[in-house]
Amino acid sequence: MELKLDLEDPAGFAAVDPSDMLGAVERFGDQVREALSIGRSVADLPPAEGLHAVVVLGMGGSGISGDVVSVLAPPAGLRAPVVTVKGYSLPSWVDSSTLVFAVSYSGNTEETLDCFDQAAEAGARLVAVTSGGRLAELAGESGITTFRIPGGMQPRASLGYLFVPILCCLEGMGIVEGTTAALAGAAGMLDERSSEFGRDSGLDSNPTKRLAKDLAGYVPVIYGSEGPLSVAALRWKAQLNENAKVPAFHNSFPELNHNETVGWQNLEEFGSSCHLVVLRERGEHPRVEKRIDITLDLLSGSIGHTAQVCARGENPVERLLDLMYFGDFTSVYLALALGQDPTPVRRIEELKKRLAG
Ligand code: F6R
């Protein structure tokens, strides 16, 4: 496909990306450092005694913070996992022994506000993570612990502000250990990746620009595997949708071997217009490794193109951030290559407006 913009020429980027989404992505390491200091500055944390479960409420770019936390920090002292709720219904087991984080960048997302009300009604221990809006008002009125994060950005470009305070809070309450130290180290790694993946790094040395070029004109299909890589796959899919404005789909090994692997057998034309990206990491489950090899062989005639991206990093925190960062850059370069401004998400805004009317 002929690209609308030359990815080798950063001087042309501002015309397509006037709000500088690429700059926001390039500065992600700084965002993680700032989010750590916001997260560590809040002292009035809820009590940890008798806590049985952690729930994160949030949608889209805010909701993925719950998925990230659930794979990075299953609280050591808790029997229950971190559960992310993306919708209008709070689980009926939420009560005063549940810690509930309401995460909404704008503070005005109706599903999150609805569940926040239900959680307050159920007597849960509440924490808000927001840049303002109704959620900040409600939290202020009821004296709820609030992590106030900077406004004026797109929620999906604020991932660090959204998930880091949750980990700081869990660590401050003594129910998670060591993740914020790992995050401080990961911020340095993100700076290195930013030089490698950033605008001034040409196609030869920049794998994210090369992949974006390859994805242009195709439907990206992103496969992860159970655990952190499935969250990375979800992030890739959402970033490709919202930044590049293309349809994109994700799934995870081993579950996809029990259904989707068969689904590629028909609709050859659709399959040939898809580009599969498999997210990998060293040390993955040996059976998953074998499954990926066999699956790629089985699908070889059914999908247009295939690429693999392997996580780098010293620990699970770094490997997850590394993979998500690769996808963030790729999605913005794909937007630029397609001549799409990566920032506006007009259909989400239109939908919210119509729902409010
Ligand atoms: C926009 C984005 C969306 C929003 C979602 C919820 O950049 O990522 O997915 O995150 O519509 O809105 P907030 O985050 O304001 O609660």
Side-chain angles (χ1 to χ4, degrees):
M1 175 184 185
E2 204 187 319
L3 304 187
K4 295 264 171 50
L5 198 85
D6 179 5
L7 294 179
E8 293 282 30
D9 178 20
F13 291 0
V16 183
D17 182 17
S19 311
D20 198 20
M21 176 63 85
L22 181 57
V25 174
E26 286 171 327
R27 293 187 295 275
F28 189 52
D30 287 339
Q31 184 183 131
V32 168
R33 277 182 287 270
E34 198 189 333
L36 276 169
S37 80
I38 295 170
R40 287 167 173 158
S41 67
V42 174
D44 63 326
L45 306 178
E49 291 73 39
L51 204 65
H52 285 130
V54 178
V55 171
V56 181
L57 313 173
M59 305 303 297
S62 290
I64 197 166
S65 63
D67 302 315
V68 169
V69 169
S70 72
V71 292
L72 289 186
L78 294 179
R79 293 246 172 81
V82 178
V83 174
T84 305
V85 174
K86 299 180 179 180
Y88 291 97
S89 308
L90 193 70
S92 58
W93 45 259
V94 171
D95 61 15
S96 60
S97 66
T98 316
L99 176 64
V100 175
F101 291 91
V103 185
S104 171
Y105 185 78
S106 63
N108 292 323
T109 296
E110 67 173 42
E111 299 94 316
T112 311
L113 290 171
D114 204 324
C115 280
F116 177 80
D117 283 347
Q118 294 170 49
E121 191 84 355
R125 304 170 201 192
L126 293 167
V127 176
V129 181
T130 185
S131 73
R134 185 74 190 125
L135 181 58
E137 279 170 20
L138 287 171
E141 284 161 15
S142 342
I144 285 162
T145 306
T146 303
F147 292 90
R148 193 69 183 250
I149 57 178
M153 296 170 71
Q154 278 292 329
R156 64 187 183 282
S158 313
L159 180 64
Y161 291 133
L162 293 161
F163 85 88
V164 173
I166 303 178
L167 289 171
C168 292
C169 182
L170 293 173
E171 212 163 288
M173 291 170 65
I175 50 179
V176 158
E177 271 174 24
T179 46
T180 58
L183 278 169
M189 179 209 70
L190 292 169
D191 296 339
E192 284 167 28
R193 298 288 186 273
S194 182
S195 311
E196 184 184 348
F197 300 157
R199 71 188 73 205
D200 295 323
S201 167
L203 277 172
D204 283 350
S205 51
N206 190 335
T208 64
K209 282 187 180 175
R210 287 200 301 276
L211 182 57
K213 210 165 164 250
D214 290 346
L215 289 175
Y218 289 89
V219 178
V221 176
I222 316 298
Y223 283 175
S225 50
E226 62 179 326
L229 268 53
S230 71
V231 176
L234 169 64
R235 172 72 176 177
W236 275 63
K237 171 233 149 40
Q239 290 289 76
L240 288 161
N241 290 153
E242 292 183 65
N243 289 337
K245 283 87 178 158
V246 293
F249 301 93
H250 76 113
N251 209 333
S252 285
F253 290 98
E255 172 62 16
L256 70 88
N257 278 158
H258 300 274
N259 34 65
E260 190 162 314
T261 310
V262 189
W264 291 107
Q265 216 166 302
N266 271 308
L267 300 184
E268 290 88 354
E269 216 175 307
F270 174 73
S272 63
S273 67
C274 291
H275 192 308
L276 177 63
V277 180
V278 185
L279 306 182
R280 311 288 305 260
E281 67 176 336
R282 267 184 295 281
E284 57 203 2
H285 193 292
R287 300 299 291 168
V288 166
E289 200 178 340
K290 190 160 184 183
R291 280 173 182 278
I292 294 175
D293 287 346
I294 299 170
T295 306
L296 290 179
D297 187 46
L298 287 172
L299 299 188
S300 60
S302 313
I303 294 188
H305 292 280
T306 300
Q308 301 193 47
V309 176
C310 190
R312 294 176 288 170
E314 300 298 316
N315 53 54
V317 172
E318 288 193 2
R319 287 193 286 278
L320 175 57
L321 288 181
D322 175 66
L323 270 184
M324 292 198 297
Y325 207 33
F326 197 115
D328 286 1
F329 273 104
T330 302
S331 69
V332 175
Y333 288 131
L334 179 58
L336 299 181
L338 298 176
Q340 285 284 335
D341 181 349
T343 299
V345 277
R346 297 211 173 85
R347 287 200 176 164
I348 297 180
E349 282 154 21
E350 174 68 17
L351 205 125
K352 288 182 179 177
K353 210 162 81 196
R354 287 205 215 172
L355 280 164

